[in-house]
Amino acid sequence: ASSQQTNTAMTPLKFVFFLSLSFTVGLLLVVLACALHAYDNWSPLYVLIPYFLCPLPTIIARRRSGSINALGDSESSDAATFITAAIVSSAFGIPILLLRAGVIVVGACALTLSGNVVMFLSILAYFRGNSDDSYSMGMY
């Protein structure tokens, strides 16, 4: 038995590296859905709009409550969760609607949906990772 202990805790540097890598992979999948010669259609980039809108309800609710660790009162927490769920759902609906309308093909839709999963898991990891820090939300 070795006396060395392995530290499996995620340090802030590892966390930032993980987030940057996952954001890059997610964005790469969406750009590939547009730029590959077989697809050659830039319409899947419409999913970038929900990527930017997704964190806003949570940030506003946290700022309104004045607390970093919790979203505060039940009404603002519920409203932020509902609006975020609607934004995430629309991001998954956009490529499916584009596919059904014949604007994009199945491969582009699959790449865009894969990019959505990676991007939204990255956004979730960011908020989970920063929920218990002494990190100031004042900069937002």
Side-chain angles (χ1 to χ4, degrees), residues 4-27:
Q4 292 180 342
Q5 293 179 350
T6 58
N7 187 4
T8 59
M10 186 169 283
T11 63
L13 186 61
K14 287 180 185 177
F15 183 67
V16 169
F17 177 73
F18 166 74
L19 281 180
S20 62
L21 180 67
S22 62
F23 274 121
T24 304
V25 168
L27 193 58

Side-chain angles (χ1 to χ4, degrees), residues 34-102:
C34 303
L36 286 178
H37 186 65
Y39 308 138
D40 198 28
N41 187 344
W42 292 91
S43 295
L45 281 183
Y46 287 125
V47 297
L48 292 180
I49 296 168
Y51 292 167
F52 293 114
L53 294 178
C54 179
L56 290 180
T58 305
I59 291 171
I60 291 170
R62 284 184 180 179
R63 182 141 177 117
R64 183 176 175 267
S65 71
S67 174
I68 295 171
N69 293 334
L71 286 174
D73 59 352
S74 178
E75 293 85 16
S76 65
S77 173
D78 291 343
T81 303
F82 178 77
I83 294 169
T84 302
I87 293 170
V88 171
S89 298
S90 69
F92 283 97
I94 289 171
I96 294 171
L97 287 174
L98 290 173
L99 175 66
R100 296 289 296 163

Side-chain angles (χ1 to χ4, degrees), residues 107-124:
C109 181
L111 281 172
T112 306
L113 291 174
S114 302
N116 281 348
V117 169
V118 173
M119 289 295 285
F120 287 123
L121 287 177
S122 301
I123 292 170
L124 179 67

